[in-house]
Each structure stands twice: as C-alpha cells, then as structure tokens.
Amino acid sequence: VNHPLVVLAGSSVRFLAPTRVGERLVAEARVIEAAGRKRRVEVEVRRGERQENPEVVLAGEFPAVIPDRHVPDPPHPKEPPA
C-alpha cells in the first residue's frame, strides 16, 4: 500500500519452510483488493531470487486500513472525538 499512513488490521501468515541466517530472502507484496480506505495485501517471501523455481518460505495476507490522520495524533479541536 503506497501511502504514508497505513494501519494493519490483522494478519494471516503461514511459515512454509525454515530459513537460515545468511540466506537471501526476497519478499513481494501486492494489493489484491481495494475498497475505499481498506486494502487486502498478499505477501510471499521466497528463498533466492535468481533460481528458476525459488521456494516460497512464507505466504500471508494482511488486511490494512488507511486512516484519515496519524493514529496517535489527537483529533483536531473542531473534530469530534472518534
């Protein structure tokens, strides 16, 4: 999600294979659904990037929300509290 303010609303992750320190892992994410301020992002992490069939070691989905303002910031004095 290419936005400066994004809040994850959850996650569903599967670890499919172990990895070792020093291995090159490549993560790829793509928005698979967008509705208003809500997004659903699919993520895959693969072992190696130049192999013909890189092994997927992690797969998951992350629902995300783009808020109107930075969450820790107090509401503007003219705005009613959320």
Side-chain angles (χ1 to χ4, degrees), residues 11-22:
S11 66
S12 173
V13 178
R14 294 174 312 180
F15 295 94
L16 303 171
T19 60
R20 290 181 168 56
V21 172

Side-chain angles (χ1 to χ4, degrees), residues 6-69:
V6 177
V7 176
L8 289 180
S11 66
S12 173
V13 178
R14 294 174 312 180
F15 295 94
L16 303 171
T19 60
R20 290 181 168 56
V21 172
E23 284 186 305
R24 181 159 179 86
L25 304 176
V26 178
E28 183 177 322
R30 64 187 182 100
V31 176
I32 57 174
E33 186 178 331
R37 295 187 155 283
K38 296 180 181 179
R39 304 288 188 273
R40 196 162 52 110
V41 180
E42 180 179 79
V43 176
E44 281 192 348
V45 178
R46 295 179 189 88
R47 183 187 334 266
E49 62 180 300
R50 293 193 172 97
Q51 301 172 6
E52 258 185 53
N53 296 312
E55 179 184 12
V56 177
V57 297
L58 179 143
E61 284 190 16
F62 298 85
V65 178
I66 301 170
D68 293 329
R69 60 182 172 78

